Amino acid sequence: VSYRELPNGNVFFPAIKRDVIGPMGLFYGSCDREILLKALGEIGFSKISGKADLVAKGWFAPRIPVIIQFWEGEEEIPSSFQMLFDRSLGEL
């Protein structure tokens, strides 16, 4: 689920969007994809299949599994990023 769908997620979502989702999307638009894949592997993420251009699964922090997704931009659409959490996070 997205952060916004977690209990009380709407409270902090504007800050998450401004400080994480937006900047990571911009970063993906100009980064070296091979270096990014290597860096993700070094911090414990593994590439998985998905509908985005790059999808990886790992741990945001101990006990918080996440899936991160990157989409390449097009002419009129900027690149974007999404971080999905396990629904059980709302139970912690």
Side-chain angles (χ1 to χ4, degrees):
V1 299
S2 72
Y3 187 83
R4 176 179 252 168
E5 295 174 74
L6 294 172
N8 299 313
N10 275 329
V11 174
F12 297 106
F13 185 74
I16 298 290
K17 185 174 180 180
R18 180 189 67 233
D19 298 335
V20 178
I21 295 171
M24 288 299 286
L26 291 174
F27 164 76
Y28 189 69
S30 62
C31 77
D32 181 309
R33 303 310 195 280
E34 293 301 318
I35 293 173
L36 175 60
L37 277 172
K38 184 177 179 183
L40 286 171
E42 289 178 6
I43 61 171
F45 279 77
S46 55
K47 184 177 178 183
I48 62 173
S49 62
K51 294 182 180 179
D53 295 307
L54 171 60
V55 182
K57 183 177 183 177
W59 296 89
F60 176 71
R63 299 178 27 195
I64 303 177
V66 296
I67 293 176
I68 57 174
Q69 302 175 331
F70 294 91
W71 288 269
E72 287 187 37
E74 296 178 7
E75 273 186 38
E76 300 294 322
I77 302 170
S79 57
S80 62
F81 170 81
Q82 183 62 266
M83 184 170 13
L84 302 174
F85 296 88
D86 188 286
R87 189 172 303 279
S88 67
L89 180 62
E91 300 168 8
L92 295 177

